[in-house]
Amino acid sequence: MSYGLPMRFGPISDGVEYHIIMRAYQESEGTAMAKAISRANIQRYIMLSATQTPAMEETWMEQTATAKDDCTWAICIAQDSSDELGTPIGSTGLHGIKDGRAHSGIVIYNDSFWGYGIASACHRARSLYAHEVLGIRAIDSFVIRSNDASLKALENIGYTRTGTQYSHSIVDGKVCHVDNLTWVNPFGHQWDYFWGDNQPPEEFNISRRNAELAIKRAKKDVTFM
Ligand SMILES: CC(C)(COP(=O)(O)OP(=O)(O)OC[C@H]1O[C@@H](n2cnc3c(N)ncnc32)[C@H](O)[C@@H]1OP(=O)(O)O)[C@@H](O)C(=O)NCCC(=O)NCCS
């Protein structure tokens, strides 16, 4: 598994048009990533408080390349449809994959690209991949209470809030709660297997529709490279 297969989609548009590629990191990309991810504005959302060095990022990339239970991508902005590499602006992945279940995460560490629908498009592509390539049944995630963009992006593609971890961490000197979320594969036997003989709570039935729509949209938008 390690890095996911490369995918591209776009242009996604919100005034500006972006071509996105999700692919493996290249060896030379550790330095820029370390610098970007070490900024306080990024660290506060990913619950880190330590400078990341190029060596740390290169070690992470090597470990990621061989991690059996993970499926990770660099999120890159490409110049146009002929650019097959682009420049990394973030990372996303499915982690701890076991028995059809995983945890997801995302960080767009170049914050000049926030607010253009890039995370939403990457979440859609990742859920398509989870369904079609990995056959994943459910994905868990959590979001710091004040991180409205992250919560919205996850709910839009079919994650459901399941509860709260109170006093989970200290961010900027303040106690923070986090919301737990779960995505359930909306299709056929995956959905049925997840719920077994239990009736899904109504909020999951609503999210199921969003999850289906997100995957259908990704099927149209995403090209495997
Ligand atoms: C959270 C993050 C991934 C969002 O990325 P993004 O590309 O800016 O997200 P999108 O543009 O797809 O926006 C997602 C939704 O949030 C909304 N949104 C964007 N910025 C917002 C803000 N500041 N406040 C409230 N909502 C916001 C968007 O309108 C969109 O909702 P809509 O589709 O219903 O209109 C990005 O801000 C980031 O990397 N932050 C740091 C790391 C992080 O928080 N990771 C997630 C940890 S759980």
Side-chain angles (χ1 to χ4, degrees):
M1 235 167 291
S2 58
Y3 283 114
L5 297 172
M7 302 185 270
R8 72 178 309 144
F9 39 95
I12 57 167
S13 181
D14 193 5
V16 191
E17 294 196 330
Y18 291 116
H19 293 261
I20 316 290
I21 295 176
M22 285 169 59
R23 59 154 172 87
Y25 276 101
Q26 310 254 307
E27 242 176 64
S28 56
E29 291 169 345
T31 302
M33 182 183 176
K35 190 175 173 202
I37 214 163
S38 294
R39 290 162 50 233
N41 190 34
I42 305 298
Q43 297 241 326
R44 70 165 58 96
Y45 293 109
I46 54 176
M47 296 177 210
L48 278 177
S49 48
T51 297
Q52 306 296 294
T53 64
M56 285 159 83
E57 294 308 342
E58 275 147 29
T59 304
W60 175 81
M61 286 172 193
E62 268 170 39
Q63 288 168 350
T64 299
T66 54
K68 284 197 176 64
D69 305 331
D70 283 8
C71 186
T72 303
W73 294 267
I75 300 168
C76 306
I77 294 286
Q79 298 285 330
D80 52 39
S81 55
S82 66
D83 178 356
E84 300 215 324
L85 209 53
T87 304
I89 59 157
S91 306
T92 188
L94 297 165
H95 309 292
I97 302 168
K98 193 174 175 221
D99 300 333
R101 195 160 184 157
H103 289 267
S104 64
I106 190 165
V107 54
I108 295 180
Y109 44 71
N110 182 337
D111 58 6
S112 60
F113 290 98
W114 287 5
Y116 295 107
I118 294 172
S120 299
C122 293
H123 283 326
R124 287 195 295 273
R126 198 186 60 213
S127 66
L128 172 72
Y129 197 94
H131 168 61
E132 285 208 338
V133 180
L134 302 176
I136 281 177
R137 196 175 307 122
I139 305 171
D140 301 300
S141 191
F142 66 84
V143 176
I144 298 177
R145 266 287 165 83
S146 56
N147 196 346
D148 294 339
S150 185
L151 184 63
K152 223 171 172 189
L154 290 171
E155 287 184 329
N156 283 350
I157 69 128
Y159 283 71
T160 305
R161 258 187 272 190
T162 58
T164 305
Q165 295 177 63
Y166 293 101
S167 197
H168 178 273
S169 39
I170 308 279
V171 178
D172 293 340
K174 290 184 191 143
V175 169
C176 283
H177 308 323
V178 301
D179 287 317
N180 298 325
L181 297 103
T182 296
W183 171 93
V184 181
N185 189 319
F187 296 112
H189 75 277
Q190 297 281 28
W191 175 269
D192 294 340
Y193 188 99
F194 182 86
W195 293 107
D197 293 334
N198 307 288
Q199 191 66 24
E202 187 47 29
E203 58 270 30
F204 275 91
N205 289 324
I206 295 165
S207 303
R208 182 181 189 180
R209 183 79 190 124
N210 289 338
E212 259 184 272
L213 288 174
I215 291 178
K216 282 183 182 157
R217 183 165 168 195
K219 267 191 174 206
K220 283 195 207 141
D221 292 349
V222 172
T223 305
F224 284 88
M225 295 169 75

